[in-house]
């Protein structure tokens, strides 16, 4: 059977299993709405040896404890055996009033209907001393913002009768909660603390301990199919910025949609740089790779690259702020819940005095130090591998016989191997540091991965730019130290294309080929596709998505690609065009694979791309150094034969670096300013919340003044005391308070 059909839903294949593992327990089976999430639990066969009976009993106890927690939290559930009988599926959903209660307790931000909100503002609340509100929209006949005052306004969910009618509803829906928000709330109920109405089931821990096989968010057939058609039929020639990112957010959540929006931004910006790079590459090949005109062509491309770096970063920050406003994420990090894996001491909160989990920073310090040392150790190991590859590539006899291609390929493959190995190490190190929120955890993990990947991905290329042509080879490290064809610019271009291509191939394999193989393997394990299975069983065969690690991996792939373009495309301008094509294809295929080959991504919020913003800033400044070095030291423009000695080239290099670094700093200053329309709308949102939700009465600003008639009389002299010296006005200074006169010995 077609996997796509299984996802969308075949009526003949969606019979519900009726066998309950705990038939003696009272099972609440809902009769309305769709199921939102599924727990998959293992079953230990009863005919195993006696030593396995304890495992079976433990599984049974965990199942019963889980059911009791779900029931006590007011959730609806249904449990049944899989077709093969080796798993227990527990489908979970929530009644509408339970969702409303959880949203109210957690103060979930909900979008307000613009037209209804506008009417409510115009009416005011006279009984609460809140006058009708008329928010200004123009200044001297010109609009002050591209947003209307009631547009993109999010207020916390509250079941007060005056607020319920104001929340925005999806088309043809009677509830403000679409499937994405239902999943968020149900997941929150399952994992959060009892004091927030939760079950306190740590899903991640139970999966790691083997008590739970999977926790899946179920695809919604109607919403999924609508998004699939919108995404996959979007014209290739249409502006990427207009792709249905909002609909993607409504299905997969803000975190997943923000990544796709950032990939769309990268595609848009690499389009024009890629076109310019393709033109520059063509011209260079026609006029001669080592000619002076080719060097001038690279210089023009270098200026365009610098403008691109600044525009890309500034443009994304403005775009990111706009999405945070449109998706209600402007205050997400301030209100982000704790990770279920976060451990600490139950104390009175040092902020508001309420019971809270607190972890002393000094208790984290040893784990952080261990993470730093391990990262440095892996970087040193990686540098040793790169040095070995340099020696391998520079062996004269081997190179003459087989060319440098084997060594270059070995280096490219080694980069990918080191990346995969260190990823697992970094995850364990960061888990041990016990960070409170997913954002903090992701940022710390990302920093470790980037510090390593920066050396791993770019180290050999930096060696060619800054070392190879300027330093004599150490004794015993090979006699053939020269660049390929005795041209370090050509050597850099050759290695860049090989490493960049290998990076794209491996990324494509990991992102698209491995999931297909994984699905086939899951089909084989589950008995193929010929059995009639429930919707949950179909989706269990799909590829699992790790909302933290896979998201970081996606961002890291995009960041490393950005680094190749930013740091070295002056030597190979066509790199930008290759990056553009890769982004165009990845953007479409990502949507396809997450909608058809992956379990539904658990919807999570995100305010921004986190520490990756600082990483892009770092790469931009590193790009100034690398591209200035490529331009000054590698092409034949500034040579000894033309009167440019080492000191002259160094001076030119520093001048170029100073000029463009200053430009980037000015760009950073401009980029750090908030997008004006977004900043204004956030202020409007805060004001509207104070009136619509908090019902803060208007202040009585009227002042009563006892008006008196003016007196125009002017007297000859003031009636106060008069003084003859300024000292009398200032008052006498006590002598004891004056500093002692300095002695000659002290002055000496």
């Amino acid at each position: 059977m077609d996997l796509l059909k299984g996802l969308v839903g075949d009526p003949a294949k969606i019979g519900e299993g009726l066998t309950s593992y705990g038939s003696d327990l009272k099972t609440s089976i809902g009769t309305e709405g769709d199921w939102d999430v599924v727990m998959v639990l293992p079953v230990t066969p009863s005919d195993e040896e006696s030593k396995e009976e304890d495992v079976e009993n433990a599984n049974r106890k965990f199942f019963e404890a889980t059911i009791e927690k779900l029931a006590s939290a007011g959730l609806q559930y249904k449990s049944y055996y899989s077709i093969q009988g080796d798993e227990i599926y527990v489908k979970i959903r929530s009644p509408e009033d339970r969702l409303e209660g959880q949203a109210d307790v957690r103060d979930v931000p909900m979008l307000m209907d613009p037209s209804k909100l506008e009417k409510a503002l115009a009416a005011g609340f006279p009984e609460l001393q809140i006058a009708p509100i008329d928010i200004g929209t123009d200044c001297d006949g010109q609009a002050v913002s591209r947003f209307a005052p009631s547009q993109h306004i999010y207020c916390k969910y509250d079941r007060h009768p005056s607020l319920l009618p104001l929340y925005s509803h999806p088309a043809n829906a009677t509830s403000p909660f679409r499937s994405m928000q239902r999943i968020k709330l149900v997941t929150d109920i399952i994992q959060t603390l009892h004091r927030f109405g939760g079950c306190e089931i740590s899903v991640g821990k139970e999966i790691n301990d083997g008590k739970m096989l999977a926790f899946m968010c179920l695809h919604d057939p109607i919403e999924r199919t609508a998004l699939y058609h919108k995404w996959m039929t979007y014209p290739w020639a249409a502006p990427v910025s207009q792709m249905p990112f909002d609909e993607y957010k409504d299905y997969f959540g803000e975190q997943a949609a923000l990544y796709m929006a950032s990939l769309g931004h990268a595609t848009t910006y690499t389009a024009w740089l890629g076109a310019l790079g393709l033109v520059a590459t063509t011209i260079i090949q026609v006029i001669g790779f080592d000619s002076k005109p080719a060097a001038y062509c690279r210089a023009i491309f270098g200026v365009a690259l610098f403008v691109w770096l600044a525009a890309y970063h500034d443009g994304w920050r403005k775009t990111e702020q706009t999405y945070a406003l449109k998706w209600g994420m402007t205050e997400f990090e301030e209100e982000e819940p704790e990770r279920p894996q976060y451990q600490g001491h139950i104390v009175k909160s040092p902020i508001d005095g309420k019971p809270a989990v607190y972890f002393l920073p000094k208790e984290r310090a040893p784990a952080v130090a261990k993470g730093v040392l391990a990262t440095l150790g892996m970087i040193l190991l990686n540098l040793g591998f790169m040095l070995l590859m340099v020696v391998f590539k520079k062996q004269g006899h081997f190179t003459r016989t087989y060319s440098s291609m084997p060594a270059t390929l070995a280096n490219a493959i080694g980069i990918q191997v080191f990346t995969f190995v260190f990823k697992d190490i970094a995850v364990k190190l960061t888990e041990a540091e016990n960070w409170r929120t997913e954002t903090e955890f992701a940022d710390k993990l990302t920093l470790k991965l980037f510090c390593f990947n920066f050396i791993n991905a770019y180290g050999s290329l930096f060696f060619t730019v800054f070392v190879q042509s300027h330093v004599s080879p150490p004794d015993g490290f090979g006699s053939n130290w020269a660049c390929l064809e005795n041209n370090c610019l050509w050597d850099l271009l050759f290695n860049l294309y090989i490493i960049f291509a290998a990076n794209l191939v491996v990324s494509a394999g990991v992102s698209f080929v491995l999931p297909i193989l994984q699905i086939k393997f899951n089909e084989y394990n589950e008995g193929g596709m010929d059995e009639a299975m429930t919707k949950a069983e179909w989706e269990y065969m799909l590829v699992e998505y790790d909302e933290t690690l896979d998201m970081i991996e996606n961002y890291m792939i995009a960041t490393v690609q950005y680094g190749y373009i930013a740091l070295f495309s002056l030597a190979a301008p066509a790199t930008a065009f290759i990056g553009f094509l890769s982004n165009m294809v990845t953007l479409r295929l990502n949507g396809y694979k997450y909608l058809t080959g992956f379990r539904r991504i658990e919807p999570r919020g995100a305010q921004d791309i986190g520490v990756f913003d600082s990483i892009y800033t770092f790469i931009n400044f590193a790009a100034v150094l690398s591209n200035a070095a490529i331009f000054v030291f590698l092409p034949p423009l500034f040579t000894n034969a033309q009167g440019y000695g080492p000191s002259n080239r160094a001076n030119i290099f520093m001048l170029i670096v100073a000029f463009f670094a200053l430009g980037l700093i000015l760009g950073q200053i401009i980029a750090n300013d908030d997008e004006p329309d977004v900043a204004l709308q956030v202020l409007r949102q805060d004001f509207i919340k104070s009136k619509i939700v908090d019902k803060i009465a208007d202040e009585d600003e009227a002042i009563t003044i006892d008006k008196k008639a003016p007196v125009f009389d002017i007297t000859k002299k003031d009636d106060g005391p008069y003084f003859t010296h300024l000292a009398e006005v200032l008052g006498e200074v006590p002598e004891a308070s004056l500093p002692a006169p300095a002695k000659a010995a002290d002055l000496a």
Side-chain angles (χ1 to χ4, degrees):
M1 181 182 290
D2 184 10
L3 181 60
L4 187 60
K5 186 177 181 182
L7 266 177
V8 175
D10 183 354
K13 299 295 184 181
I14 308 184
E16 300 289 359
L18 299 177
T19 305
S20 174
Y21 185 15
S23 58
D24 54 325
L25 298 177
K26 291 184 178 179
T27 305
S28 171
I29 302 177
T31 58
E32 59 184 44
D34 295 323
W35 299 99
D36 296 307
V37 301
V38 170
M39 291 180 180
V40 185
L41 310 180
V43 174
T44 303
S46 57
D47 58 353
E48 289 286 337
E49 297 180 4
S50 59
K51 65 180 180 180
E52 297 294 338
E53 291 181 2
D54 292 337
V55 177
E56 183 179 0
N57 292 333
N59 288 344
R60 172 63 179 246
K61 290 179 181 178
F62 176 74
F63 168 79
E64 293 180 353
T66 300
I67 293 298
E68 289 176 352
K69 290 179 180 179
L70 297 176
S72 64
L75 294 173
Q76 296 175 339
Y77 52 89
K78 181 177 181 180
S79 55
Y80 61 93
Y81 282 115
S82 65
I83 295 298
Q84 294 81 9
D86 57 348
E87 297 127 2
I88 307 159
Y89 286 79
V90 182
K91 301 192 299 183
I92 306 168
R93 67 185 178 199
S94 172
E96 190 71 17
D97 60 344
R98 181 67 181 89
L99 286 180
E100 293 175 353
Q102 190 69 15
D104 194 347
V105 168
R106 301 295 269 173
D107 291 337
V108 173
M110 298 290 291
L111 178 65
M112 310 300 280
D113 185 278
S115 60
K116 295 178 180 178
L117 179 60
E118 188 175 351
K119 292 178 181 178
L121 292 173
F125 299 92
E127 70 280 6
L128 299 176
Q129 298 182 349
I130 300 176
I133 300 170
D134 183 16
I135 299 176
T137 59
D138 67 278
C139 176
D140 196 22
Q142 298 185 19
V144 297
S145 173
R146 69 180 186 272
F147 303 123
S150 58
Q151 192 177 7
H152 306 311
I153 300 298
Y154 283 79
C155 295
K156 68 178 183 179
Y157 188 82
D158 194 298
R159 288 183 286 183
H160 193 278
S162 65
L163 288 173
L164 287 177
L166 301 182
Y167 295 114
S168 177
H169 288 55
N172 303 320
T174 58
S175 168
F177 304 112
R178 60 177 71 247
S179 69
M180 180 269 288
Q181 291 158 324
R182 289 203 315 268
I183 289 173
K184 274 188 177 183
L185 290 169
V186 170
T187 303
D188 183 61
I189 294 172
I190 291 171
Q191 300 198 92
T192 196
L193 302 175
H194 290 312
R195 67 188 179 93
F196 293 125
C199 301
E200 289 193 15
I201 299 175
S202 179
V203 171
K205 181 178 182 302
E206 305 302 349
I207 291 176
N208 289 336
D209 292 344
K211 296 179 180 179
M212 190 181 299
L213 298 177
F215 180 81
M216 305 188 306
C217 304
L218 291 175
H219 281 280
D220 183 288
I222 297 175
E223 291 185 20
R224 178 206 157 276
T225 303
L227 177 59
Y228 178 87
H229 286 297
K230 277 192 174 183
W231 193 269
M232 298 310 298
T233 61
Y234 189 81
W236 287 80
V240 176
S241 59
Q242 301 302 315
M243 289 189 74
F245 297 119
D246 291 334
E247 289 83 351
Y248 196 92
K249 179 267 301 181
D250 289 338
Y251 191 71
F252 286 122
E254 297 83 6
Q255 183 191 65
L258 190 63
Y259 160 69
M260 295 297 274
S262 70
L263 189 59
H265 177 82
T267 306
T268 300
Y269 273 74
T270 51
W272 67 265
L273 183 69
L276 186 60
L278 196 61
V279 172
T281 300
T282 303
I283 294 175
I284 290 172
Q285 293 302 317
V286 171
I287 63 180
F289 185 81
D290 289 330
S291 64
K292 280 189 177 181
Y296 296 137
C297 183
R298 292 190 189 94
I300 296 173
F301 179 80
V303 173
L305 176 63
F306 165 76
V307 174
W308 180 80
L309 293 174
Y312 182 103
H313 198 196
D314 180 51
W316 171 245
R317 282 186 170 177
K318 299 295 190 290
T319 302
E320 181 182 62
Q321 292 175 20
T322 301
Y323 279 121
L325 172 71
K326 291 172 62 178
W327 297 345
M329 292 286 107
T330 55
E331 300 175 353
F332 172 77
E333 292 183 6
E334 299 174 11
E335 304 169 355
E336 185 177 4
E338 296 170 349
R339 300 179 72 226
Q341 298 91 334
Y342 179 63
Q343 298 177 348
H345 308 283
I346 304 296
V347 299
K348 288 185 178 180
S349 170
I351 299 175
D352 56 17
K354 296 179 181 179
V357 180
Y358 192 77
F359 187 68
L360 293 172
K362 66 179 181 181
E363 295 182 24
R364 180 182 294 117
V368 173
K370 181 180 177 181
V372 171
L373 292 176
T375 303
L376 289 176
M378 284 296 296
I379 289 175
L380 291 175
L381 182 63
N382 185 241
L383 288 174
F385 170 77
M386 290 183 184
L387 184 59
L388 182 63
M389 290 300 99
V390 169
V391 175
F392 180 28
K393 187 168 63 174
K394 299 306 173 184
Q395 296 302 312
H397 175 71
F398 184 89
T399 303
R400 285 192 298 271
T401 305
Y402 301 103
S403 82
S404 62
M405 179 63 75
T408 303
L409 287 175
N411 184 44
I413 294 171
I415 289 173
Q416 305 304 323
V417 172
F418 270 96
T419 298
F420 286 115
V421 170
F422 182 69
K423 178 182 176 181
D424 291 337
I425 296 174
V427 170
K428 293 178 181 177
L429 292 171
T430 311
E431 285 284 2
E433 294 169 1
N434 192 32
W435 296 102
R436 189 180 71 87
T437 65
E438 285 293 343
T439 297
E440 291 176 336
F441 173 82
D443 284 349
K444 303 306 179 183
L445 175 59
T446 298
L447 282 176
K448 292 184 181 67
L449 292 174
F450 176 74
C451 289
F452 177 80
N453 285 337
F454 186 81
I455 302 299
N456 185 44
Y458 312 130
S460 60
L461 301 176
F462 277 125
F463 176 84
T464 302
V465 176
F466 291 100
V467 178
Q468 190 165 345
S469 62
H470 310 289
V471 179
S472 300
D475 294 337
F477 281 89
S479 58
N480 185 21
W481 190 260
C483 295
L484 293 177
E485 307 295 333
N486 291 318
N487 187 327
C488 286
L489 182 61
W490 174 257
D491 197 343
L492 177 62
L493 178 145
F494 178 79
N495 284 277
L496 175 60
Y497 280 142
I498 295 296
I499 294 175
F500 191 39
N503 181 72
L504 293 179
V505 170
V506 172
S507 299
V510 172
S511 298
F512 306 113
V513 178
L514 285 185
I516 295 174
L517 298 178
Q518 181 67 51
I519 292 174
K520 295 297 182 183
F521 179 76
N522 292 345
E523 291 175 18
Y524 175 78
N525 275 352
E526 296 298 322
M529 304 289 284
D530 298 327
E531 295 288 342
M533 296 182 291
T534 64
K535 180 175 183 292
E537 291 175 272
W538 279 93
E539 295 192 20
Y540 183 56
M541 289 193 297
L542 301 179
V543 181
E544 182 182 4
Y545 184 89
D546 189 307
E547 285 74 18
T548 298
L549 301 183
D550 285 349
M551 187 60 64
I552 292 176
E553 178 69 16
N554 286 338
Y555 274 117
M556 192 64 67
I557 290 173
T559 303
V560 169
Q561 177 179 297
Y562 175 87
Y564 283 123
I565 296 172
L567 295 167
F568 306 108
S569 63
L570 188 64
T575 306
F577 183 73
I578 298 173
F580 163 70
L581 294 179
S582 172
N583 288 336
M584 283 285 286
V585 174
T586 301
L587 195 60
R588 264 72 174 185
L589 288 182
N590 273 351
Y592 176 79
K593 75 175 186 178
Y594 292 137
L595 285 167
T596 63
F598 276 68
R599 300 172 189 170
R600 184 170 181 175
I601 299 173
E602 179 186 327
R604 292 184 180 180
Q607 184 171 338
D608 49 43
I609 62 174
V611 75
F612 279 101
D613 181 77
S614 300
I615 289 175
Y616 279 114
T617 300
F618 174 79
I619 290 177
N620 285 355
F621 280 97
V624 172
L625 293 172
S626 63
N627 286 296
I630 291 170
F631 180 69
V632 173
F633 296 120
L634 299 191
L637 193 60
F638 304 100
T639 62
N640 291 328
Q642 295 169 338
Y644 293 99
S647 62
N648 290 335
R649 289 196 293 272
N651 291 335
I652 296 172
F653 170 75
M654 288 187 290
L655 285 174
I656 294 175
V657 169
F659 177 78
F660 286 107
L662 179 61
L664 280 181
I665 292 173
L666 293 176
Q668 286 290 311
I669 294 174
I670 297 173
N672 283 332
D673 293 337
D674 291 336
E675 207 280 331
D677 291 349
V678 173
L680 175 60
Q681 202 70 3
V682 170
L683 294 176
R684 285 172 169 173
Q685 178 172 271
D686 292 340
F687 170 74
I688 291 173
K689 286 193 295 187
S690 71
K691 298 300 180 183
I692 296 296
V693 179
D694 300 328
K695 304 293 195 303
I696 298 177
D698 298 336
E699 294 182 6
D700 185 5
E701 298 179 349
I703 301 176
T704 303
I705 301 175
D706 184 11
K707 296 183 179 180
K708 298 180 180 180
V711 178
F712 301 105
D713 295 341
I714 302 176
T715 60
K716 280 190 174 184
K717 296 183 66 177
D718 185 24
D719 55 0
Y722 284 79
F723 306 94
T724 57
H725 298 288
L726 177 61
E728 298 178 37
V729 178
L730 300 178
E732 294 292 338
V733 181
E735 186 173 345
S737 65
L738 295 175
K743 298 180 181 180
D746 295 334
L747 296 176

